[in-house]
Amino acid sequence: MATITAPADATTRPQTRTPFSQTRLSTPILGALGIVGFILVWELASRLALVNPTYLPPFTEVFATVFEVVGGEQYRAQFWAALGNTMFGWSVGLVIALVAGVVCGVIIGSNRWVRDFTHSTIEFLRPIPSVGLIPIAVVIFGVRPAATIAIVVWACFWVILIHVIYGVADVDPVADSTARSYGLGYLARARYVVWPTVLPYLMTGVRLSGTIALVVAVTIEIVVQAPGIGQMIAQYQSAGNAPVVYALALLAGVLGLVINLALRRLEEAVLGWHPSVRAEVIS
């Protein structure tokens, strides 16, 4: 005769552990371990002469040089002036690209005929590398911050434009028709129907453009010697001062990290109502 056993009590059931990779601490801990491992490899490779220390100084030496560059009397004034020039080109170029990308994206994305008509032109111009336009920018604007701004605008404009076009095209036609049936005008529909759909796409484009703009700006400064951190890197590379070159490269990396974190916080603040951001906050 079969016997029926009662289900095990919930308190006596074995508890399944959450994998470490799914915990909140996994990302910062694994990230910190990766950085520590990278630093150890760098330090040992230089100390053990696996690479020429003249071209790759030990990390500890470069780390000490970072403080000299930021606050030392020899480099401090030059560094902060260079940082100001880089951030000027970055911010002005990004703002111009943002305004132009939003205006053109809304116009193109709002009409299917315009979208189809401009599709091949956009796909032809968009892949042109911004670095390839540096000689043209130098001829037009000279070795000045205007050349940096022009190339940053070119690099970021297409990213923002594509995201806005896709955002406008993703507007729910039922919601749009409902808004029309309630007599909402174009501006009202743009505010209450189109803009909430476009905003998540736009913020993603802005976040991507922020780091792209910094990379492009520093690259232009290195290549054409436009004022900025890139020019300072090229100057000390020519002088053979490797610790300062690596220190500036580290500072540029930290600057990119700060920009990315700031834009991510801005995205979370602007899209606090959006389900994707709310889900991240809840999790």
Side-chain angles (χ1 to χ4, degrees):
M1 180 175 178
T3 57
I4 301 176
T5 56
D9 188 73
T11 56
T12 62
R13 290 176 182 171
Q15 295 183 350
T16 57
R17 284 187 178 181
T18 303
F20 175 73
S21 59
Q22 297 179 7
T23 61
R24 288 187 175 183
L25 295 177
S26 62
T27 299
I29 290 178
L30 293 177
L33 289 176
I35 293 175
V36 171
F38 173 74
I39 292 174
L40 284 176
V41 171
W42 181 350
E43 184 75 16
L44 292 176
S46 182
R47 294 289 180 189
L48 299 176
L50 299 177
V51 295
N52 191 337
T54 303
Y55 302 112
L56 182 63
F59 174 81
T60 50
E61 182 180 345
V62 173
F63 191 69
T65 308
V66 168
F67 292 96
E68 294 181 14
V69 170
V70 174
E73 293 183 0
Q74 185 177 357
Y75 307 107
R76 180 179 57 200
Q78 184 183 9
F79 169 73
W80 289 108
L83 179 62
N85 285 320
T86 298
M87 293 308 298
F88 176 76
W90 174 86
S91 57
V92 174
L94 187 60
V95 169
I96 294 175
L98 176 63
V99 174
V102 170
V103 173
C104 295
V106 170
I107 294 174
I108 295 173
S110 299
N111 190 295
R112 185 172 64 86
W113 297 105
V114 177
R115 195 164 58 241
D116 294 341
F117 182 75
T118 57
H119 177 74
S120 11
T121 304
I122 292 174
E123 291 303 317
F124 172 73
L125 295 175
R126 187 166 63 93
I128 296 177
S130 54
V131 178
L133 300 176
I134 290 177
I136 300 175
V138 172
V139 170
I140 297 176
F141 300 103
V143 185
R144 294 181 300 174
T148 304
I149 294 173
I151 301 299
V152 169
V153 170
W154 176 270
C156 298
F157 169 75
W158 300 108
V159 178
I160 296 175
L161 176 70
I162 295 299
H163 279 82
V164 173
I165 289 176
Y166 277 102
V168 175
D170 196 38
V171 171
D172 187 357
V174 176
D176 189 49
S177 299
T178 304
R180 289 174 187 272
S181 65
Y182 276 94
L184 269 66
Y186 179 79
L187 293 179
R189 281 186 283 114
R191 178 180 178 182
Y192 296 110
V193 179
V194 177
W195 187 245
T197 305
V198 172
L199 200 53
Y201 289 87
L202 175 61
M203 293 309 301
T204 302
V206 170
R207 184 158 52 83
L208 294 175
S209 300
T211 50
I212 292 174
L214 180 64
V215 172
V216 171
V218 174
T219 302
I220 297 168
E221 292 162 0
I222 292 175
V223 174
V224 304
Q225 298 287 296
I229 293 178
Q231 182 196 43
M232 194 173 173
I233 291 175
Q235 176 187 346
Y236 284 96
Q237 187 271 333
S238 301
N241 195 336
V244 174
V245 172
Y246 283 103
L248 290 170
L250 286 179
L251 289 170
V254 172
L255 179 61
L257 181 62
V258 171
I259 288 174
N260 189 44
L261 291 175
L263 291 178
R264 183 175 289 276
R265 293 291 177 269
L266 176 64
E267 183 181 20
E268 293 174 355
V270 173
L271 299 177
W273 51 272
H274 196 267
S276 61
V277 175
R278 294 179 65 184
E280 290 181 1
V281 173
I282 292 173
S283 63

